[in-house]
Amino acid sequence: YVAPTVWAWRKGRALKMAKYIDHVLALFPFERPLLLESGLSCDFVGHPIVGQKIAKPKEVIDFRNKFNLGEKKIILILPGSRITEVKRLIKIFEKTLDIVNHKFPEFALVIPTTKTVEHLVKELTKSWSKKPIILTNNNSYEAYNSYKSAAFKEATVALAASGTVSLELAVNSVPMVIAYDVNFLSRIILKFLLKINTVTLVNIVAETDAVPEFLGENCQPAVIAGAIMELLNSQELRGKQIESHKLCMARLLPEGDLSQGSFAAAKVIEHLNYNRKTV
């Protein structure tokens, strides 16, 4: 359940997997044909993101009251959940948001974070010219999830590191800009290994380029800020992204009327029953 990303790099891993894995439950529709081609038994069972809870109106009100946001619009900032990601991206994000803030000073900045990087994020944002609201789960996990859901629901635009968070943003119809960087050696290696022309899951699933991404040497504050401001200024661009989000979520649904988890369980039972009959 949850296959390695052989569709992105090192396709040969699928051939090695076929020697040891009886069956794969794939989260993405494009994984099944690739894995079948490598000799793996596989079913696409949908992605759990499609069942994610969207914040209710009361949660939104509580969130806005808690952080004295009033009617302020929100830019959501997601610099990653790993220490190395945050260290590499946070300064780039700071410079990017300084440029955006010059043109759009009315926006509040919100950073949902995790215990792993919470202290690092707090330390590295102390010098920011506009202080962000940092959401942590120190006191109450339930409250944190509620505030985080409300922040996603209310965000006008998001600046995010590459990863599954793009799907979380898509569920909430948040227009986004993706930015990511790695060290110089990793950049060179990835150029040879990557088999796709986009790393943003929304773009991959929806087969679009609606979500702008700035990777490696292109992960520069000025161009990232330009893309964010274009989204803030253009209803057409925002609409194009939101349409790609809808298409992405539709393609991540399992077949039929079962929930994603129930459909996955049904496929496991189906596979086990088939093997029992053939023994």
Side-chain angles (χ1 to χ4, degrees), residues 192-207:
F192 285 101
L193 293 181
L194 273 177
K195 305 300 182 187
I196 51 178
N197 57 11
T198 176
V199 300
T200 303
L201 286 167
V202 174
N203 285 346
I204 295 169
V205 176
E207 297 177 286

Side-chain angles (χ1 to χ4, degrees), residues 67-137:
F67 298 101
N68 300 311
L69 284 165
E71 297 299 317
K72 279 187 178 179
K73 294 180 180 179
I74 292 167
I75 295 177
L76 198 60
I77 307 157
L78 301 149
S81 58
R82 294 193 290 269
I83 289 172
T84 51
E85 286 178 329
V86 172
K87 283 183 175 178
R88 188 165 284 118
L89 292 173
I90 202 78
K91 283 293 181 186
I92 296 169
F93 281 21
E94 177 186 6
K95 292 175 183 177
T96 298
L97 293 162
D98 277 345
I99 298 169
V100 175
N101 188 53
H102 183 70
K103 294 285 187 181
F104 296 89
E106 70 275 19
F107 281 81
L109 308 179
V110 178
I111 307 179
T113 189
T114 64
K115 284 185 178 180
T116 310
V117 297
E118 173 194 331
H119 293 296
L120 182 62
V121 169
K122 286 180 176 178
E123 184 63 31
L124 294 177
T125 57
K126 278 181 181 177
S127 61
W128 283 27
S129 57
K130 175 180 276 189
K131 297 297 183 287
I133 295 166
I134 300 173
L135 306 181
T136 67
N137 61 359

Side-chain angles (χ1 to χ4, degrees), residues 232-251:
L232 293 174
N233 283 320
S234 172
Q235 282 298 119
E236 183 182 350
L237 285 178
R238 294 173 62 78
K240 183 182 176 183
Q241 265 213 42
I242 290 169
E243 286 304 310
S244 75
H245 297 171
K246 290 176 182 176
L247 177 58
C248 174
M249 290 302 112
R251 289 181 174 181

